[in-house]
Amino acid sequence: MFKAKTITHKGQSRIAVYFENKPELTARFKQLQGAKWSATLKVWHLPATAAYLKQFKIITEAVNIHQKKETIPIKPELAQFIDWLKSRRYSNSTVKTYTEALRIFLSFFGEKKTEEITNTDLIYFNNQYILKNELSASYQNQMVNAIKLFFSIVQQKQLDISKIHRPKRAKTLPNVLSKEEVKAILTAHNNMKHQTMLSLIYACGLRRSELLNLLPIHIDSNRGLLLIKQAKGKKDRVAPISEKIVNLLRAYYKAYQPKKWLFEGQLAGQKYSEKSLENVLKQALKKAKINKPVSLHWLRHSYATHLLESGTDLRFIQELLGHSSSRTTEIYTHVSTKSLKNIKSPFDDL
């Protein structure tokens, strides 16, 4: 038995499929084209193709909107909003995410004029689209962000953005690996490029995109620093790199001689792809015999947690990770085992 529903994940329409955690079922699901595991949502998902929608018997208003999105013309206000986002230099992924969210929201009301949409309509949309289709609070929050920004620049509106409230978000803890597990992953590959990429992510707490956007000139081996340019929020930052990583990078550079990007694909001057990097991790997990649904971001979480456990001040960890708010960094205090191990359970005194 399974349960399936449509979701929007990383700006794309997907089908989340829930089933018993049995090896044989997981193995069968992995054989489906486009099957992926979301460490964030804790669910397997597929592209929302017509074939899969039929196969998993999904017939909802949400699906109909997703299916028709390519034929629904972009309203002039939405086109204006897209131009505004681009002029403000929002990232391509943000433009894509907000456009998709607003296309669904505006299409939900059919021919109703944008300036006639009210706060009551928004409540109706939340109840009849988001809640009815059991979409996540994270998705709802993303939708609210897009709607508030859109209606803040569209004139002649009835919707009062000051009265739009975001849903309460689930307080989830970051996934952390032990140092032994990290070592097993980083040493699983014999391929020097693969080993270097995974090692650098953990050694400097990098996001996937930050690694792939690195240039050779971003490595300052004399000062022992890595320059991370235009990361999330278009912020630059630096991270310390040890002599051990510098030596690994030198050996890699000598062997591969990248032309432009630090890590390139099969063609010289071509940036290494995100999908290929994910496959590198999957292969490492298989070789290390680690069955957890590890994602690349787990290495970043592990880096931060291990720093905290070794006594690094939380303020420095915030700077190293590029977090704007200390609250974001404080979440690692909840998964650090250093203090927890010193707590004696009253059970031991029974």
Side-chain angles (χ1 to χ4, degrees), residues 152-200:
S152 69
I153 68 166
V154 173
Q155 302 301 315
Q156 299 178 336
K157 57 185 180 294
Q158 294 296 317
L159 190 145
D160 186 351
I161 60 172
S162 65
K163 294 181 180 179
I164 299 177
H165 302 290
R166 293 180 175 83
K168 287 186 177 180
R169 301 187 69 172
K171 295 182 179 180
T172 57
L173 295 175
N175 296 297
V176 177
L177 298 161
S178 68
K179 289 185 178 180
E180 292 74 20
E181 288 173 320
V182 172
K183 183 177 180 179
I185 292 171
L186 302 187
T187 57
H189 280 295
N190 292 323
N191 183 294
M192 184 183 293
K193 179 190 287 186
H194 295 169
Q195 188 182 80
T196 305
M197 287 191 294
L198 295 180
S199 297
L200 195 55

Side-chain angles (χ1 to χ4, degrees), residues 41-57:
L41 303 178
K42 309 294 184 187
V43 69
W44 286 98
H45 55 96
L46 296 161
T49 63
Y52 282 144
L53 291 169
K54 183 178 180 181
Q55 180 178 342
F56 288 94
K57 302 176 182 179

Side-chain angles (χ1 to χ4, degrees), residues 132-232:
K132 184 177 180 179
N133 292 288
E134 300 180 1
L135 300 177
S136 67
S138 174
Y139 175 78
Q140 184 178 354
N141 190 60
Q142 188 180 77
M143 182 71 75
V144 166
N145 287 339
I147 292 170
K148 291 191 75 169
L149 189 57
F150 174 68
F151 279 94
S152 69
I153 68 166
V154 173
Q155 302 301 315
Q156 299 178 336
K157 57 185 180 294
Q158 294 296 317
L159 190 145
D160 186 351
I161 60 172
S162 65
K163 294 181 180 179
I164 299 177
H165 302 290
R166 293 180 175 83
K168 287 186 177 180
R169 301 187 69 172
K171 295 182 179 180
T172 57
L173 295 175
N175 296 297
V176 177
L177 298 161
S178 68
K179 289 185 178 180
E180 292 74 20
E181 288 173 320
V182 172
K183 183 177 180 179
I185 292 171
L186 302 187
T187 57
H189 280 295
N190 292 323
N191 183 294
M192 184 183 293
K193 179 190 287 186
H194 295 169
Q195 188 182 80
T196 305
M197 287 191 294
L198 295 180
S199 297
L200 195 55
I201 287 177
Y202 172 73
C204 297
L206 301 180
R207 299 180 178 93
R208 176 179 54 188
S209 59
E210 292 170 351
L211 176 88
L212 298 179
N213 288 330
L214 287 174
L215 300 174
I217 59 173
H218 292 157
I219 302 168
D220 188 343
S221 57
N222 293 326
R223 299 173 63 203
L225 295 175
L226 178 70
L227 176 60
I228 304 160
K229 296 283 291 181
Q230 295 295 284
K232 188 175 182 179

Side-chain angles (χ1 to χ4, degrees), residues 60 218 226 234 253 258 265:
T60 64
H218 292 157
L226 178 70
K234 296 190 179 295
Y253 189 86

